[in-house]
Amino acid sequence: MKYVLILFVLLTLVVLGACDDSKDGGGGGSSGGGSTPPLALTLDTSTVPDGDEGVAYTFNFQASGGTSPFTWSATGTLPTGLALSASGVLSGTPTTTGNHSFSVTVFDSGTQMDTGNFILFVQPAPPQTTPGTFSASSTCAIGQNAADLAVSDFGTDGKPDIVTARSGPSIQGITLTTNTGSRTFAAPANYTIVGSGPMYELASGHLNGDSLLDVVAIGLSSPGGLQGLYYFQNTGSGFTGTILGWLSGNTHSVTIGDVTSDGYPDIIVGSWTFAAPQGSSQITVYRNNGSGQFTAAPSRSVGQSNRLQLYFCQLQAGGDAAVLALEYDGGAGDSRLHVLRATSANSTWLAVPTVTNLGTGVSSRDLAAADFNGDNKIDVATANANASIGLFTGNGTGGFTFNSSLTLAHGAYGIVGKDLTNDGVPDLAVTHWTDDDSLTVFLSTGPLSFGSGVNYAAGARPKDIRASDVDSDGSVDLIVLNDVQGTASVPDPVRDATVRYGD
């Protein structure tokens, strides 16, 4: 009987446990017995970034929802050189330009897919250029009997314009040729002064304290006789001219620089007078009072030749300012460089000149002053009529020592020393006036060292040369005044400038 009772209890417990399990399992099945379906697969159709011809390109397409991993494919026209990987990466180097339309489809690991349409624009690669080369050129009129030129922004638009002196028998004043952009220039505009005569040298600077570049010029009086110093104040829409004074002797050069170290650019004039048995050259500083009024200081004597070219520079970084006076004898062709340091120790504002002999028979017609060897001191390169360029090393205090020379195929007239390759080192360019209608460029290869000259065509009788970024493309251009000669029937020809554009 005892065993029957124990068996009955055990069977009761088993039956009760089974009932409880059935109850719990039924409750669990009602709360989560199935799986949650995935979200809808959606392709991100944001705009794809532009590409550049010849430049490596990478872009990752994205999608949300669905069941990873995803698989990608493309149809339509992808840019040549690009491919879409199965993982959604568009990469390669595009070689075709313009707009390219294509579709991208993404598949998840289940049964979903999504498609988007895209346009990828590939920009053309910029033209391949060689710094320091000048393959393109144009010509613009710069006025009748233009004799000298300055190239700078005479307006307020940031574009370099051209101002020239007018030197014909019946022509006077200056001419402004405005840069209108896209390698074009406006027709020349003339500005005159009553009582003046032909003008043949000019310089530009901020002379009256405003932000506009003014112009000074030298030339004959009208109808002739005295030499005039003329001031053209920039009004923003042109120039208003006045006569600063009449000069004794023959004036033949003018430049601008702060000789008196008061923050105001002064006018420096070179002149020549004859007194038997020989003449003498003088340099005179016209001190600026800051508002466009000038007072002449006593002259400083510099040599005997009637040919003088003036330049203003700083002899070394943080050093003295100085006037460089290039003197050459048109007969014998001997050339000398007079260096007059700025000083307040005497009434002329110029120290006694240091003289460097530039050579016998070279006839140096122009010079370029720049740091050609990287020592922070001004060196000099001379353009010589004997078909050479003379290179002289400066010591920073006014002394110059012959270093070497470059041989030219033709005699040189104008010269400019400017960085033509954007590498921070000055290069050289010279014109060949009466010997050849061309210019020659020498690119620097090291301290006072230059490669072979490269010749470029210019206009008829290329004379003065300047360097500036005329077309605002980041490359320096060369601007050359072409000295077209007059005839009996056309005594005052309209001269032009050749612009060789830097590549």
Side-chain angles (χ1 to χ4, degrees), residues 145-387:
N145 265 333
D148 189 20
L149 79 167
V151 179
S152 195
D153 179 17
F154 290 95
T156 57
D157 59 1
K159 295 190 288 288
D161 310 300
I162 302 174
V163 167
T164 57
R166 307 172 71 205
S167 66
S170 59
I171 297 299
Q172 58 188 17
I174 63 173
T175 295
L176 170 64
T177 304
T178 301
N179 185 346
T180 54
S182 302
R183 299 184 175 182
T184 60
F185 293 85
N190 302 321
Y191 301 92
T192 61
I193 300 175
V194 175
S196 67
M199 301 179 190
Y200 40 82
E201 283 275 342
L202 58 74
S204 63
H206 297 283
L207 295 176
N208 63 349
D210 63 15
S211 61
L212 300 172
L213 281 171
D214 307 304
V215 174
V216 293
I218 55 175
L220 294 172
S221 63
S222 181
L226 293 174
Q227 303 285 304
L229 177 59
Y230 306 111
Y231 172 39
F232 292 86
Q233 181 176 339
N234 192 336
T235 64
S237 58
F239 294 92
T240 299
T242 58
I243 300 172
L244 287 182
W246 303 111
L247 312 174
S248 61
N250 296 313
T251 57
H252 40 70
S253 188
V254 63
T255 190
I256 292 174
D258 185 9
V259 176
T260 56
S261 301
D262 57 4
Y264 306 129
D266 308 301
I267 301 173
I268 307 123
V269 176
S271 59
W272 179 80
T273 56
F274 179 77
Q278 60 189 12
S280 63
S281 294
Q282 300 87 30
I283 296 177
T284 305
V285 174
Y286 289 78
R287 187 177 184 182
N288 187 352
N289 69 359
S291 61
Q293 301 295 317
F294 301 87
T295 303
S299 299
R300 169 70 74 181
S301 179
V302 285
Q304 301 170 347
S305 173
N306 66 343
R307 290 171 173 85
L308 204 67
Q309 289 292 320
L310 301 183
Y311 312 83
F312 185 83
C313 69
Q314 193 173 36
L315 293 174
Q316 63 178 320
D320 292 337
V323 176
L324 307 184
L326 174 64
E327 176 197 10
Y328 81 95
D329 184 334
D334 298 344
S335 299
R336 289 164 291 278
L337 178 62
H338 304 261
V339 180
L340 298 88
R341 289 182 294 108
T343 178
S344 59
N346 62 71
S347 59
T348 69
W349 292 98
L350 297 171
V352 174
T354 300
V355 183
T356 299
N357 184 9
L358 300 177
T360 300
V362 297
S363 290
S364 301
R365 292 166 167 167
D366 195 8
L367 69 77
D371 180 13
F372 291 110
N373 62 0
D375 65 353
N376 295 319
K377 300 173 183 177
I378 286 296
D379 309 303
V380 163
T382 59
N384 303 328
N386 73 338

Side-chain angles (χ1 to χ4, degrees), residues 87-153:
S87 60
V89 179
L90 180 64
S91 62
T93 301
T95 59
T96 53
T97 61
N99 287 317
H100 299 77
S101 300
F102 59 95
S103 299
V104 171
T105 301
V106 57
F107 303 86
D108 73 354
S109 57
T111 59
Q112 297 193 73
M113 60 176 284
D114 192 20
T115 299
N117 298 318
F118 300 89
I119 296 177
L120 194 161
F121 177 71
V122 178
Q123 303 181 76
Q128 297 297 311
T129 61
T130 303
T133 59
F134 303 86
S135 56
S137 67
S138 68
T139 301
C140 64
I142 54 174
Q144 290 177 282
N145 265 333
D148 189 20
L149 79 167
V151 179
S152 195
D153 179 17

